[in-house]
Amino acid sequence: MINMTQEEIINAVKAQGVLPLFYNEDKELCIQITQTLYSAGIRVIEFTNRGEAAFENFKALVALKQSALPDLVLAVGTIRTAEQATKFINAGADFLISPVFDATVCDVAYLHKVLWIPGCMTPTEIHVAENAGCKLVKLFPGNVLGVEFLSAIKELFPNMLFMPTGGVDVSEASIGAWYKAGVCAVGLGSKLISKELLAKKDYTTIGNLTRQAMDIAAAVKK
């Protein structure tokens, strides 16, 4: 794992403004995507645990990081059980992201002193996450909740940081609307690393879109 505190990782996510996330069964494709994102300026990436090859491919990304990308912060996403959390922490995950709030995952992260970002969809879930010590939550699915949801509840949680994932487009209108509502960063998955681009292995376009997303985030934050 990288030698950064939980606060430093959160600050790195905030500074980057966007958090790319992806999964693919092809190990070499995962390596190419990671290298493309890194070359575009990304230093924090979420690899999602969404398929049978996830663990082996994640280990390949950890090896890539250790050999060539030492300042990369590598998260594993879609963690829903304590077993998954322990397995990926031991494999080298710098932090964990979940689509839900799960108390057992929370306990594993706490015991390992690893940052955990749970997914929340209701004020109650956000409240539970805050009481468990979470400083940043993922609003998921963002396309269902919408910016109006965050605008409506943000004053209830003045000390909580929010990051939507799902439905965020690489556009000033979409990213700008979320920032105006009060997020600290946005998660970008299929809108950035689409199936079409992956099928064509169009790493150039993925890199260009990544730089565009980072530029938009930097501009709207101001």
Side-chain angles (χ1 to χ4, degrees), residues 195-210:
K195 291 181 180 179
E196 293 76 18
L197 292 176
L198 291 178
K200 295 186 291 185
K201 297 185 178 180
D202 188 352
Y203 304 119
T204 300
T205 299
I206 291 174
N208 290 338
L209 283 172
T210 301

Side-chain angles (χ1 to χ4, degrees), residues 167-184:
V168 183
D169 296 319
V170 182
S171 69
E172 187 173 349
S174 179
I175 295 174
W178 278 109
Y179 268 95
K180 186 177 180 181
V183 303
C184 72

Side-chain angles (χ1 to χ4, degrees), residues 130-193:
E130 187 169 51
N131 283 347
C134 299
K135 307 297 183 185
L136 168 59
V137 298
K138 177 172 80 168
L139 294 179
F140 179 79
N143 55 317
V144 174
L145 292 169
V147 295
E148 295 85 359
F149 170 80
L150 179 57
S151 297
I153 60 95
K154 191 168 189 311
E155 288 186 1
L156 300 175
F157 306 99
N159 299 316
M160 180 61 76
L161 297 171
F162 296 95
M163 177 180 67
T165 300
V168 183
D169 296 319
V170 182
S171 69
E172 187 173 349
S174 179
I175 295 174
W178 278 109
Y179 268 95
K180 186 177 180 181
V183 303
C184 72
V186 295
L188 286 170
S190 60
K191 300 287 186 176
L192 175 65
I193 306 166

Side-chain angles (χ1 to χ4, degrees), residues 114-132:
V114 170
L115 173 67
W116 175 52
I117 301 174
C120 296
M121 195 179 181
T122 67
T124 299
E125 291 171 348
I126 297 167
H127 174 72
V128 170
E130 187 169 51
N131 283 347

